[in-house]
Amino acid sequence: LLSLLGELLPLLGEQALPYIVDIKQVSLALFQKDKKARVKNATFGPLIEVFKLHELFTKSTRERLARELGIAKLAEKFIDQLSGSTSKLSSTVQMNMMHVLGLVSELFPTHIAGKDPTVLKIFLNNLKKQMSPTNQKPDMSVIAGALKGLSGFLVRFTQSFDEGLTNPKSKAREIYKYTMMAISPQEQLSRYEVPKSGLRLLARHAGQFRTLLAENYDTVYAAIAKSCHHEKQNRELQAAGFAALEAFLKEVAAFIANPDPGRDE
């Protein structure tokens, strides 16, 4: 039923708005009460689709919806759970929690402000742990979740590399490193959620890594181009590759036109 609801919400569009608070409450109630990972994961489908209706939220209703949806409490709960021991959470549950946390950061940033360093730390710590050279069995679901979360987070809480030249707290280089690792896996994959998530992050936020992309244009281009040839294996990966390629070329061209980030274009 939850899976069906998640599939119906995009089709209903504006007609679903009167019901989104009830959908969110039922989804979270099941997430909290049911201990089965399968059920917990099923609750995220409708929840994520509710957030994807954000284009239908008007400025005047966004904060009202935030209160009715209990966004502050939801964010706090997920931050607490992901900051502590996650041993009781399946990898797919962690993935979905990080995805939702990224959407909340993007759509309701006032409820993340002040907690944003902790949220960023959650994403980066998971990437560091899973993508460490000493980790022989990286958890692809956790990696994908951290990348999805970062993609939403970076919309409102930028980590631009050029800003980082004067801001020592910027994590742009670290984010760039993990994104490149995601889009250029060292072994053959049977599933492509990780490179797809990395490419989508790059497509949305290439401007935050302009200098790094230009300095490493050859390796970046090779990694993205490889994804663009995946038509037979994975069309979604190919589409993500073309979107990332367009963003990459745009930023490299902008860098060539104006290589000094301190100078007005």
Side-chain angles (χ1 to χ4, degrees):
L1 185 60
L2 288 167
S3 299
L4 177 62
L5 184 58
E7 292 174 8
L8 283 175
L9 280 171
L11 301 176
L12 292 171
E14 193 171 353
Q15 298 176 60
L17 289 180
Y19 310 104
I20 62 175
V21 174
D22 292 335
I23 292 169
K24 175 261 181 184
Q25 289 175 341
V26 170
S27 297
L28 279 186
L30 286 170
F31 174 80
Q32 293 166 356
K33 290 179 181 178
D34 204 299
K35 295 183 179 180
K36 299 184 185 71
R38 180 175 58 83
V39 176
K40 283 183 178 291
N41 279 318
T43 66
F44 285 104
L47 193 58
I48 289 170
E49 291 303 328
V50 162
F51 289 131
K52 286 184 178 179
L53 295 172
H54 68 92
E55 291 183 357
L56 301 176
F57 301 170
T58 64
K59 216 169 189 179
S60 59
T61 61
R62 189 177 292 266
E63 277 308 308
R64 176 178 61 79
L65 281 169
R67 290 193 299 272
E68 293 177 355
L69 289 168
I71 294 298
K73 188 175 180 180
L74 172 68
E76 187 174 345
K77 180 178 181 62
F78 280 14
I79 290 170
D80 286 345
Q81 288 189 316
L82 290 168
S83 297
S85 173
T86 56
S87 58
K88 294 183 179 180
L89 300 172
S90 73
S91 58
T92 48
V93 169
Q94 292 179 58
M95 174 185 72
N96 285 315
M97 288 176 72
M98 285 189 282
H99 187 184
V100 168
L101 201 50
L103 289 170
V104 171
S105 301
E106 177 181 355
L107 303 175
F108 305 99
T110 56
H111 296 283
I112 295 295
K115 306 181 189 74
D116 50 293
T118 303
V119 174
L120 180 59
K121 186 176 180 181
I122 288 170
F123 298 144
L124 292 179
N125 280 355
N126 275 289
L127 290 173
K128 181 178 181 181
K129 178 182 177 182
Q130 298 301 330
M131 302 181 97
S132 167
T134 59
N135 189 344
Q136 299 300 311
K137 292 184 178 180
D139 192 317
M140 296 301 178
S141 293
V142 173
I143 295 172
L147 291 168
K148 289 177 181 179
L150 268 174
S151 186
F153 178 85
L154 291 174
V155 172
R156 304 291 185 177
F157 302 95
T158 60
Q159 298 291 312
S160 172
F161 176 76
D162 292 333
E163 290 176 8
L165 297 175
T166 56
N167 177 13
K169 293 183 180 180
S170 173
K171 301 295 183 181
R173 188 178 288 278
E174 199 172 345
I175 296 169
Y176 169 80
K177 178 180 76 172
Y178 294 130
T179 302
M180 285 305 302
M181 290 173 68
I183 70 174
S184 48
Q186 298 303 304
E187 56 187 58
Q188 190 67 32
L189 299 176
S190 57
R191 301 183 66 182
Y192 299 99
E193 201 60 34
V194 168
K196 190 165 60 180
S197 299
L199 288 164
R200 287 173 174 169
L201 186 155
L202 189 58
R204 293 188 82 186
H205 305 294
Q208 297 191 40
F209 314 110
R210 178 184 294 177
T211 301
L212 293 168
L213 293 174
E215 289 177 349
N216 303 281
Y217 69 90
D218 49 350
T219 53
V220 177
Y221 177 78
I224 297 175
K226 188 175 180 181
S227 300
C228 294
H229 296 294
H230 267 269
E231 182 179 2
K232 291 183 179 179
Q233 291 130 309
N234 194 297
R235 289 183 180 274
E236 287 188 358
L237 180 66
Q238 184 189 46
F242 279 121
L245 181 62
E246 181 180 357
F248 163 72
L249 293 174
K250 178 181 175 182
E251 295 305 326
V252 170
F255 178 87
I256 293 171
N258 180 32
D260 182 358
R263 190 179 76 230
D264 292 334
E265 295 183 16

